[in-house]
Each structure stands twice: as structure tokens, then as C-alpha cells.
Amino acid sequence: SELPPVRSAGDVICCQKVLVQEYNNEPQLRAKKNSNIIVVRPREARSPEETLHNSTSPEDWSVSDERHTVDLELTNALWRWGQRRLSTHPTMSPNCYIAISQVSDHVDNFEVSVSGDVTAVVTSILPTPEHLRRSDTPRGFLRLWDGTGPSRSDPMPNNVVNVNADQSIADPPEQVLIRIEKILNAISSAEHPDTTCVGVNAPLALCGRVINAIIWEEDLWNLIQRVGIINIGSFIRLRNINNAMLPSGSRVNCLSVHAKSSLTPLPHDAYEVKMLLKGHDTRLKRGVPTNPTSAILPGKSAPRPQFSTREAAISGFSMLDECLRKPAPATFTVQCEVSHTLPASDLNSIDTLKAFCVKQKDGSAVFRFALHIKDTSAEVDVICHGKVAEGLLGMSAQEVSTSVAKCTQALDKLKVYISSGSVCEGKIRSVMGKDKRVYFVLCSLFCITS
């Protein structure tokens, strides 16, 4: 706890007055009482939108202890070398790597456990309230996603504060999708782009499991909560963790970050980050369904058609399996049932409508969500956004925060569409996304049985 915090893999550590020795045939540094350990990093955190830091000016560097002189020319060279190394070489042993998919859903036998290292993105930061903290309770929880496992989100821990609740109840939330899009854009537009993520485009929604990770150590939680070494959307590496039972009596399996574990934030283009995104893209293209609670990437849910269609329109009704064939029809009309929404909805809560809203760059809100529809031949997700969504719900996105009456009416409309036995007629158009996958966008929908 007395050592300066490392904010990210690649930070430069300056060790002064230390002993060099050998341990297990490997060189080792041993600190003495009068040793100095100094952490140096660029003052501005590295972001996907910026070029690689390159400066020897003292104003551009953060030094954990400025009483000591640091060779900034050497530091700059080491930091730049480290960033390139992290981008092109794995830093985790394949013998220790575990994926969230390897953690079973429920705790049935603690003799069969999982332990090792995991790379994941943070989807939520959940502190335990101060008045509920005891020596034997967690300091807080992180919710993590790595694109593997069944497409669902584990239950929230009891008695926690969701710091993201005022922005979205989607999980993974919108911030994660935006972060992934920025990372992939930065990788593809780099001066010397590698081939790891060739053909990988920003996903509209995410598949895979969201799992809880318990943070037990006060010092680590202080780095997360007070120092702010990570945020929602940060990619992190957890070392020496194991599975445990979520402390809620539900026997839900989770990850445990204990006294001998470590947490390290990763640069956006770290080798493990790129492999995670490539693996997720492969699963999406293989047809793995997205998580029903996942947010939808803002601004990308209705790209313009970029391919030749078989027909400009289809008269009469189509079956969904016909429309899933290639090439997909440009527009078509179906009779279908609506089974659920994405993000998942509680039709008795106004929070559902808040989850359907996303903020634009100018601060205004728009609706963006999806309906899962099916007929006797197939089922598919249909994106609903903008004016179409407003017409469907009978209200604007701005009115979600100002009119309880309209929210109630909108939820009643959704209940009609989703209720068992309801049959709807919908006009849908197909579009080609940047990831070369076909997406379906709702043009109109009305219930023919109500």
C-alpha cells in the first residue's frame, strides 16, 4: 500500500538503490529500506484517438515522487518501446489463461474450482455502501465481460451501489460498445496497423456472459474507487484469481480477487485486448446470439444499404426464414409475434424506457432498442430507433424524463405487442453493416389482434 500505484501496463518504474540478485535462475531486484521506487507515465492518459506519446518535457510526465531526478529521455524511449511490445506480444501465459466461459453458472462443488488469469472489460463498478461494510464483507464488485460464455448477465450482487444506474440499465452498457468502436477504429487507422483485427468491425451488440468479480482488498478498492485507475469500458488483466460463490446465498458462481491477486489496466491496443475482440467477432459471425440485456451501439444501428438487393420490395407477406437467406430482400412485410426487447424490459417500470434512450453528441436523447420477433419459420432481432420508435411508443425520447403519464401509456403499448397471443404486422428493411452482416431495421409495426 506504500508503493506508488501503477495505472496501466506499460508504466515505467524507476528503481533506485536496489540490490540485483538471482532467484530460480532469473534476475531479481530486491529493495532495501533506503530504496526508492518511482512510477513514471505520461501525464495525459493514452486514448485510442491520440498518437503515441513522444515527449521529454517534464510538463508532459507524471512522476510519483518528484523529489527524485528521472532521466526523461530514457523514460520516453522505454515507455514507447513498452507500448509497442504490449501491442504485439502476449503478456499472459497460455497455461494460466482462463475465460469467463470456463466458470460454471452455479456453485455445485467447490472441490472443482477455476483459477488463473483473465482479460476482460469492466461493465459496472459496484461499491459496497459504507454502512454495510464489515471486516468480512467485500469492498465492492466489478462486473466483467470477455465475449465468451452464454449470452446473459449474471444477477447483481445484493446491497451494492450501481454507479452506472443513472445512465443505463443495459449490461454491457453503451460505454463499452463505444469504447470497443474507438479501439477498433484506432487499430485500423494506425500508421502501422497490424493484421490481428483485419475484418473486425464494431459490433452493434455484444454476445457472451457478464460475470461478477469480488474485490476484497481495501487498498485495491481505493485504487479503483478513489484513484480511479479504471472506468466502465476499461480493459483489465486480473492475475491469480479463482471462482467463488457470490455472497448473497444464491449459489451463483463469480470470480474472487483476493490478497494474492493483482489487477492491471491494459492499453487499448494490447495484444490480449485485440485477441478478445477478434474472438468475439468470430463468435458473432458464427451466429452466436447477442446478450438480451446488451446495449446497442449508438449511431450505428441503421447504416445505409451497401449491397444489391434481390428485389426492391416484396408484395404480400414473407416468412422470416426466406428473408434470412442471401441476398436478403431490401424490404419485406411479415406477420409475427414479438417475444421480448433488447435491452430486456420490465413492462412495469419506467426505467425500461430510460434504457431504450441513448444520448447524442449534442446532448439530446433518441430511442434505440430492438425487438425480437418470430414466426413459424425463424426468429430475428429487428432494430427500432428514431421516429419509428417514437411512433411505436407514442412519445418522444425527451418525454421519458418529463411525462410519467406518457411513459405509462408507452409501457401499455409495449404490453400489447409483447403479450402472449398477440400477432403483429411489420414492415422491415435489411441493411448491410460495416461488419458485413445483414441487420434488420423496423419501418412500421402494428398489432392486428388487439
Side-chain angles (χ1 to χ4, degrees):
S1 62
E2 296 179 1
L3 292 173
V6 173
R7 284 182 176 268
S8 177
D11 283 2
V12 178
I13 300 177
C14 177
C15 302
Q16 299 176 346
K17 302 177 182 178
V18 295
L19 294 176
V20 180
Q21 58 187 33
E22 185 178 288
Y23 180 76
N24 286 343
N25 297 319
E26 295 287 345
Q28 183 185 67
L29 299 180
R30 182 165 69 87
K32 302 180 294 183
K33 286 186 176 180
N34 64 338
S35 298
N36 300 314
I37 309 297
I38 306 161
V39 177
V40 190
R41 69 180 67 87
R43 194 172 297 278
E44 295 295 328
R46 187 183 174 201
S47 68
E49 297 91 343
E50 297 176 354
T51 57
L52 198 63
H53 180 91
N54 188 15
S55 171
T56 57
S57 171
E59 290 78 15
D60 295 333
W61 290 91
S62 171
V63 182
S64 62
D65 189 343
E66 296 185 349
R67 294 174 299 175
H68 303 283
T69 302
V70 176
D71 185 341
L72 290 182
E73 186 171 344
L74 175 61
T75 297
N76 183 59
L78 279 173
W79 186 86
R80 288 174 58 82
W81 174 85
Q83 298 301 306
R84 291 190 290 267
R85 175 81 182 181
L86 287 166
S87 180
T88 54
H89 292 75
T91 58
M92 292 170 59
S93 168
N95 298 326
C96 299
Y97 166 77
I98 60 173
I100 291 176
S101 60
Q102 295 174 249
V103 183
S104 62
D105 292 353
H106 296 281
V107 180
D108 297 318
N109 185 356
F110 266 114
E111 294 180 0
V112 181
S113 61
V114 175
S115 62
D117 306 340
V118 64
T119 298
V121 65
V122 178
T123 70
S124 292
I125 300 174
L126 308 171
T128 301
E130 293 287 347
H131 69 281
L132 294 178
R133 287 190 178 185
R134 302 188 307 273
S135 59
D136 60 344
T137 58
R139 304 300 90 184
F141 300 82
L142 300 179
R143 286 172 69 79
L144 304 174
W145 170 89
D146 71 351
T148 68
S151 293
R152 61 171 181 76
S153 297
D154 284 5
M156 284 274 194
N158 293 334
N159 303 319
V160 294
V161 179
N162 187 356
V163 297
N164 192 42
D166 62 332
Q167 300 175 43
S168 174
I169 62 173
D171 194 16
E174 188 179 290
Q175 297 101 305
V176 173
L177 287 125
I178 293 173
R179 177 72 175 174
I180 290 173
E181 181 186 36
K182 289 181 178 179
I183 289 172
L184 291 172
N185 287 341
I187 292 172
S188 63
S189 61
E191 184 178 353
H192 302 290
D194 58 45
T195 60
T196 307
C197 290
V198 171
V200 178
N201 291 290
L204 296 188
L206 303 177
C207 69
R209 178 183 176 188
V210 176
I211 195 171
N212 296 290
I214 312 172
I215 308 295
W216 293 100
E217 295 300 305
E218 187 74 40
D219 291 336
L220 176 56
W221 188 255
N222 285 339
L223 289 175
I224 295 171
Q225 190 78 31
R226 298 178 184 174
V227 180
I229 62 170
I230 61 173
N231 299 291
I232 294 168
S234 295
F235 283 83
I236 62 173
R237 180 179 61 215
L238 290 168
R239 278 202 161 130
N240 194 31
I241 60 172
N242 56 264
N243 69 312
M245 185 170 67
L246 191 67
S248 62
S250 60
R251 299 192 66 79
V252 174
N253 222 342
C254 65
L255 300 175
S256 177
V257 185
H258 47 82
K260 294 185 178 180
S261 305
S262 65
L263 183 157
T264 307
L266 296 173
H268 70 269
D269 58 351
Y271 178 85
E272 287 83 4
V273 172
K274 291 186 287 190
M275 294 305 294
L276 184 156
L277 296 178
K278 182 179 180 180
H280 176 256
D281 182 71
T282 300
R283 284 184 284 276
L284 280 179
K285 290 176 179 175
R286 200 168 60 225
V288 174
T290 57
N291 188 333
T293 66
S294 171
I296 298 175
L297 180 65
K300 301 296 180 182
S301 53
R304 295 185 179 277
Q306 298 176 2
F307 60 102
S308 299
T309 57
R310 183 177 60 190
E311 299 171 328
I314 293 180
S315 59
F317 296 113
S318 301
M319 300 299 291
L320 285 176
D321 66 340
E322 298 173 356
C323 305
L324 293 173
R325 300 169 190 165
K326 295 181 180 179
T331 59
F332 53 93
T333 304
V334 295
Q335 287 188 349
C336 60
E337 296 180 5
V338 180
S339 62
H340 60 268
T341 65
L342 293 91
S345 55
D346 176 357
L347 299 182
N348 295 311
S349 172
I350 293 177
D351 286 340
T352 287
L353 299 175
K354 294 179 181 178
F356 289 171
C357 296
V358 295
K359 287 187 177 180
Q360 301 188 102
K361 291 182 178 180
D362 61 3
S364 62
V366 294
F367 284 123
R368 186 175 290 111
F369 58 96
L371 301 175
H372 187 82
I373 64 172
K374 59 184 180 179
D375 62 13
T376 57
S377 67
E379 51 189 277
V380 71
D381 295 332
V382 179
I383 296 166
C384 185
H385 70 110
K387 295 296 183 181
V388 173
E390 291 181 358
L392 188 74
L393 299 174
M395 68 181 304
S396 67
Q398 286 73 23
E399 289 173 315
V400 171
S401 57
T402 60
S403 177
V404 174
K406 286 205 170 185
C407 287
T408 303
Q409 292 173 4
L411 291 173
D412 289 341
K413 286 177 178 288
L414 274 179
K415 290 177 183 177
V416 172
Y417 293 119
I418 298 177
S419 62
S420 177
S422 292
V423 178
C424 299
E425 182 177 314
K427 185 176 180 181
I428 298 167
R429 64 187 178 96
S430 56
V431 298
M432 179 72 79
K434 289 183 178 180
D435 55 3
K436 304 304 180 184
R437 297 174 66 203
V438 175
Y439 294 91
F440 299 105
V441 180
L442 188 68
C443 299
S444 63
L445 184 76
F446 64 92
C447 184
I448 62 178
T449 55
S450 61

